Amino acid sequence: MTSPKEISPGLVIQRFTPPLALADFRLIAFDMDSTLINIECVDEIAAAAGRKEEVAAITEAAMRGEIADYKASLRQRVALLKGVSVQHLQDVYANRLQLNPGADRLVAACQAAGMKVLLVSGGFTFFTDRIRDRLGIDFTRSNVLAVEDGKLTGKMVDQPWGDICDGDEKRRMLLETCERMGISPRQAIAMGDGANDLPMMGEAGLSAAYHAKPKVREQAMVAINSGGLDRLLEVLR
C-alpha cells in the first residue's frame, strides 16, 4: 500500500494497484443517487411535501455515516413523503434527474468489454427501473414505495429478498450477482459516494468513490473528486 497519489487533477489513487484493464473485470456495480445520477431522489420527492430541507438533512447525515441505522433513517424519510402523488415522481424523473457526466460513456465502455452492469440503490424502483431501461443495465436492486390511489402511503413494500436495500443488502446483492455469474468478487468494480456503499465496495476487486463523502473517499481504492464517472477509464486501460 502506498500513500494517496493524485495521478491527474481530481483523480486520486488511494491504494496502490497494479496496471488494470477493463478485461480484468466481469461486473461493475453502481450506486444510483449522487453516483450514477445527479440527485438524491428522496430529497426531490420531499420537495412536493414541503419537507425537502428536513429530508435532505437526514440523507446527508446518513451518507456521511453519521446515522448508524440506515433502514430507520430511510423509513423516517419515506414517512415524510406521505401524500405525494406518483405524478410528482414522474416530474422528478423528467425534470430534475440527469445522468452524471460520463455515465453513458463508462457504462458503454464496460458493456463493450463484455461486462455486466448492476445498479444497486437505497433509492426506489420507480427510478432504478427507468435508468435500467435507459442504459441497458443487467441487474438492479432497490426499494419499492407503497402507493394507494395514486399517492405515496409513507411506507415501503417488503420484497422477496427483504425489506430495505441498505449497505448490507448492497453487499449481498453484489456477492449474489457474482455467484450467479460464476465469478469472484475480485472481478467486480463497485462505485459509490455514501457510507451505505462501503460494504459492497469492500468486497470488490476495485472500489471507486465518485464525488464522495470523506469517509468513502478515504476507504476507496480510487477517488474521482472532479470530472465525470468516465474518469475511471483513466486507470483502466
Side-chain angles (χ1 to χ4, degrees), residues 143-203:
N143 303 302
V144 178
L145 289 167
V147 176
E148 288 182 4
D149 300 323
K151 294 184 178 181
L152 302 184
T153 68
K155 297 182 179 180
M156 288 170 284
V157 179
D158 287 353
Q159 299 180 72
W161 48 262
D163 55 355
I164 289 175
C165 186
D166 61 354
D168 288 340
E169 185 58 37
K170 288 188 177 194
R171 174 183 175 273
R172 280 192 293 271
M173 183 58 179
L174 176 73
L175 295 175
E176 177 185 308
T177 304
C178 289
E179 184 177 3
R180 186 187 313 178
M181 292 177 61
I183 65 172
S184 163
R186 299 293 99 186
Q187 294 173 280
I189 300 169
M191 297 192 74
D193 74 296
N196 63 329
D197 298 315
L198 287 172
M200 73 168 179
M201 291 170 69
E203 295 288 348

Side-chain angles (χ1 to χ4, degrees), residues 4 9 11 25 30 43 85 129-130 138 161 164 179 183 185 225 232:
L11 183 63
F25 299 96
F30 291 99
D43 298 354
S85 71
D129 287 355
R130 287 160 174 76
D138 301 284
W161 48 262
I164 289 175
E179 184 177 3
I183 65 172
N225 299 326
L232 186 66

Side-chain angles (χ1 to χ4, degrees), residues 127-139:
F127 301 101
T128 56
D129 287 355
R130 287 160 174 76
I131 297 299
R132 175 198 65 201
D133 295 345
R134 185 168 169 181
L135 293 175
I137 288 171
D138 301 284
F139 312 105

Side-chain angles (χ1 to χ4, degrees), residues 68-233:
D69 191 338
Y70 178 86
K71 289 186 177 184
S73 80
L74 186 59
R75 290 190 184 98
Q76 180 183 4
R77 285 174 282 165
V78 169
L80 296 171
L81 307 181
K82 184 176 181 179
V84 173
S85 71
V86 173
Q87 181 56 49
H88 182 71
L89 274 65
Q90 181 59 41
D91 291 343
V92 169
Y93 179 75
N95 301 316
R96 293 286 298 119
L97 186 153
Q98 298 177 14
L99 294 175
N100 268 328
D104 282 319
R105 181 169 179 253
L106 177 57
V107 170
C110 291
Q111 291 169 332
M115 295 170 64
K116 298 294 187 183
V117 183
L118 166 64
L119 179 58
V120 59
S121 174
F124 311 115
T125 54
F126 185 93
F127 301 101
T128 56
D129 287 355
R130 287 160 174 76
I131 297 299
R132 175 198 65 201
D133 295 345
R134 185 168 169 181
L135 293 175
I137 288 171
D138 301 284
F139 312 105
T140 63
R141 180 150 293 177
S142 57
N143 303 302
V144 178
L145 289 167
V147 176
E148 288 182 4
D149 300 323
K151 294 184 178 181
L152 302 184
T153 68
K155 297 182 179 180
M156 288 170 284
V157 179
D158 287 353
Q159 299 180 72
W161 48 262
D163 55 355
I164 289 175
C165 186
D166 61 354
D168 288 340
E169 185 58 37
K170 288 188 177 194
R171 174 183 175 273
R172 280 192 293 271
M173 183 58 179
L174 176 73
L175 295 175
E176 177 185 308
T177 304
C178 289
E179 184 177 3
R180 186 187 313 178
M181 292 177 61
I183 65 172
S184 163
R186 299 293 99 186
Q187 294 173 280
I189 300 169
M191 297 192 74
D193 74 296
N196 63 329
D197 298 315
L198 287 172
M200 73 168 179
M201 291 170 69
E203 295 288 348
L206 179 64
S207 58
Y210 180 72
H211 294 227
K213 305 305 180 190
K215 183 177 181 179
V216 183
R217 288 200 306 268
E218 291 165 5
Q219 296 188 40
M221 294 170 67
V222 177
I224 301 170
N225 299 326
S226 65
L229 285 158
D230 55 342
R231 296 206 68 191
L232 186 66
L233 299 173

